[in-house]
Amino acid sequence: MLERVAPTTAAAMADHWNSRAWKFDGSASHRRDADAWRAAFKTALGEAPREVADLGCGTGACALFAGNLGHRVTAVDGSAEMLSHAKAAAAGAGLSINFIHATMDEAALPAASADIVTLRNVLWTIENPSAALSLARKVLRPGGKLLVSDGVWFRHRANDSRKIFGAHLPFYNGLTEADARHLLGNAGFGEIKSWRHLMPGDPYGAVYDDPETPIAFFILTAIAPE
Ligand SMILES: C[S@@+](CC[C@H](N)C(=O)[O-])C[C@H]1O[C@@H](n2cnc3c(N)ncnc32)[C@H](O)[C@@H]1O
């Protein structure tokens, strides 16, 4: 039995992203730097068509990158509003993606059903990141590939307006590549590779509460044990 990914924060998290969905893509790097992200996904994931599960798909950026590469994609998100943008984007791109409106804990993705799992900019929002990686491992076939990407978004975020998050999210300000490597190793993943060099410059701009510091981010893939 897996631990829950978001035992306390799931409902508040869905509300949070429901209220932000309308503006999420407006300033997103996946829009500004779409070609670079698409190329990075192509190199990191490979082109042979595979079963992909995108966990916390948001407005669908990663699901669409994977779909455009010819992969068969299932995409899960707890926020109905984020998903409605994702569905519109997939329809606009002529892609058939299996969208599931559910938290990761409730989505009930079958074990060993995916060749690739993607988790981009999701771990920082997760109460139990280790449980999210265990879930990814369960959903992956042995030898399957996990892509994890995230960054350090804030330097010191005040834990006032959203106590429910600050008190419960271990990476409320974001996470470093070293944090992610540690989590991946503990979850039993191996062959960890960085693809950061495929995204030139600082695509995310500056840390939200420190305009002088670029947002440090990482793109890693790791392989589930056989
Ligand atoms: C920062 S957005 C990233 C969206 C997308 N992966 C991307 O790279 O653009 C985080 C997303 O994770 C979703 N999320 C957070 N916790 C979740 C959970 N426990 N189950 C499902 N979705 C979750 C949120 O609803 C939100 O859409």
Side-chain angles (χ1 to χ4, degrees):
M1 185 73 174
L2 292 180
E3 283 184 38
R4 290 179 75 77
V5 169
T8 315
T9 55
M13 190 58 73
D15 287 348
H16 175 74
W17 291 106
N18 281 338
S19 70
R20 299 176 69 84
W22 66 275
K23 62 179 179 181
F24 186 73
D25 280 334
S27 59
S29 165
H30 56 253
R31 283 281 168 88
R32 282 194 314 273
D33 308 301
D35 291 344
W37 277 110
R38 208 173 291 115
F41 268 64
K42 187 172 171 179
T43 306
L45 301 185
E47 284 185 85
R50 301 265 187 250
E51 302 295 331
V52 174
D54 184 31
L55 304 181
C57 68
T59 54
C62 303
L64 266 75
F65 293 143
N68 273 316
L69 289 170
H71 299 301
R72 294 173 292 275
V73 185
T74 295
V76 174
D77 204 282
S79 158
E81 290 297 324
M82 293 293 268
L83 268 182
S84 77
H85 287 263
K87 285 177 186 170
L95 291 172
S96 169
I97 291 174
N98 175 26
F99 288 107
I100 299 177
H101 177 211
T103 67
M104 286 179 223
D105 288 314
E106 309 296 344
L109 296 180
S113 59
D115 304 297
I116 295 170
V117 168
T118 53
L119 268 170
R120 191 185 73 162
N121 302 346
V122 174
L123 284 183
W124 73 271
T125 73
I126 292 288
E127 197 174 341
N128 189 345
S130 299
L133 296 187
S134 298
L135 175 66
R137 182 173 160 180
K138 179 184 146 198
V139 169
L140 280 168
R141 300 195 173 109
K145 186 181 278 188
L146 172 62
L147 181 145
V148 182
S149 181
D150 223 302
V152 179
W153 312 105
F154 288 85
R155 205 181 259 281
H156 309 287
R157 183 152 35 175
N159 178 14
D160 46 13
S161 59
R162 298 196 184 90
K163 284 200 175 68
I164 181 90
F165 292 163
H168 289 96
L169 305 187
F171 297 107
Y172 190 40
N173 287 314
L175 63 163
T176 64
E177 178 176 333
D179 293 327
R181 284 179 178 271
H182 186 69
L183 290 167
L184 287 165
N186 284 348
F189 286 90
E191 297 177 52
I192 302 173
K193 272 192 198 164
S194 170
W195 305 92
R196 168 64 180 91
H197 57 282
L198 298 175
M199 290 299 300
D202 297 307
Y204 288 114
V207 171
Y208 298 134
D209 54 354
D210 175 9
E212 303 302 317
T213 304
I215 288 172
F217 77 105
F218 61 85
I219 307 171
L220 296 173
T221 55
I223 301 298
E226 292 286 347

